[in-house]
Amino acid sequence: MSNPPTFDFSGKVAFVTGAGSGIGRATALAFAAAGASVTIADISDSGLKATEDMMIALGAKVLSVRCDVTKSADIKLALDQTIAAFGRLDAAFNNAGIEQPGASIVDLTEDMLDRVLAVNLKSVFLCMKHQIPLMLQNGGGAIVNTSSGAGVIAIRNQSGYCASKFGVTVASKVAALEFADQGIRVNALCPGIIDTPMIARYTGGTEEGRAAIIKQEPVGRMGRPEEIAATVLFLCSDSGGFITGHALVADGAQTAGI
Ligand code: NAD
């Protein structure tokens, strides 16, 4: 993006899951550009290494942790390492996720349902469970959980993915209610179609596949990961200080007509 976000996160510490690719990588880089120390967490060693190299090139303070977000122990360890390295936790972007192969509700396998709910939804519960007590130690913080347009509208052949993303939105709202009076803000972010490796897999990576999916976007293009990153930084910044319990749609009007 030609104009990087202008938020100031100097002295702040951010934790980003799914930071080895796409939206998570762009957000980790944006936090770093805004002065934060950043923990990048992902299950992919190669993805983490690539993001870490980009962050080091920015002069960022970065901690890279291999973490499977379906495992409570992995998340706790990554957060303990964050506190050991940087001393506090101010912002968390719980963003790791997987797509679901298209299948009708009767054809969706139990394994795939378990997997998509574990990676996309259970992980958000586990992350918040371990992050909120750490944020409370320094008076509060802000959490953004990645939902989706699929957390706003029902999509055929995506029952597991939609259920996971509607769940992320509701879990975010409940957490916001529970901790609103203790300085913790929690919001869900619902991106439209964003140009990342996930969408490349979804479209088959072909020009025809891209064109077909872009037709769903009234703005006539996909969103850029950096645009979602800027929205995350806004929600975590003092500028978003009165926003909590909200599901913010950033989708080029994809769901506006529903
Ligand atoms: P991506 O595939 O480019 O990145 C996802 C990252 O999550 C990868 O680095 C992957 O290794 C990591 N990951 C997967 N399983 C994990 C696990 N168990 N533990 C830790 N990390 C794991 O995808 P993206 O497009 O950047 O998607 C990021 C988030 O945004 C996802 O939650 C996705 O559902 C959501 N989303 C994406 C779009 C889109 O159009 N790209 C739209 C709406 C919502």
Side-chain angles (χ1 to χ4, degrees), residues 3-29:
N3 298 312
T6 54
F7 302 103
D8 182 9
F9 282 87
S10 312
K12 305 282 189 189
V13 177
F15 180 92
V16 178
T17 73
S21 180
I23 293 169
R25 173 179 288 164
T27 305
L29 288 166

Side-chain angles (χ1 to χ4, degrees), residues 27-85:
T27 305
L29 288 166
F31 270 123
S37 303
V38 186
T39 296
I40 54 173
D42 203 291
I43 202 169
S44 162
D45 290 322
S46 57
L48 276 178
K49 175 77 173 75
T51 303
E52 185 182 19
D53 287 348
M54 291 176 199
M55 294 185 70
I56 288 169
L58 275 181
K61 280 169 270 175
V62 56
L63 172 69
S64 173
V65 186
R66 187 180 191 283
C67 169
D68 179 346
V69 293
T70 67
K71 295 189 174 145
S72 190
D74 276 24
I75 295 167
K76 183 166 184 322
L77 185 61
L79 287 162
D80 286 348
Q81 290 176 323
T82 300
I83 299 300

Side-chain angles (χ1 to χ4, degrees), residues 17-24 41-44 67-70 95-99 115 119-120 146-149 161 165 190-199 201:
T17 73
S21 180
I23 293 169
D42 203 291
I43 202 169
S44 162
C67 169
D68 179 346
V69 293
T70 67
N95 161 78
I98 55 170
E99 63 272 34
R115 187 73 193 146
V119 178
N120 293 3
T146 303
S147 177
S148 172
Y161 187 79
K165 295 301 188 180
C190 306
I193 298 163
I194 312 302
D195 199 354
T196 70
M198 179 184 282
I199 281 296
R201 291 189 296 273

Side-chain angles (χ1 to χ4, degrees), residues 138-157:
N138 46 274
I143 297 174
V144 175
N145 297 317
T146 303
S147 177
S148 172
V152 178
I153 56 168
I155 301 172
R156 266 175 213 280
N157 296 323

Side-chain angles (χ1 to χ4, degrees), residues 98-101 103 107-118 160-161:
I98 55 170
E99 63 272 34
Q100 178 213 303
D107 294 327
L108 180 64
T109 66
E110 196 173 337
D111 281 352
M112 181 45 68
L113 177 62
D114 285 346
R115 187 73 193 146
V116 78
L117 291 178
Y161 187 79

Side-chain angles (χ1 to χ4, degrees), residues 51 78 90 112 159 196 216 218 233:
T51 303
D90 300 285
M112 181 45 68
S159 55
T196 70
Q216 296 176 24
L233 264 68

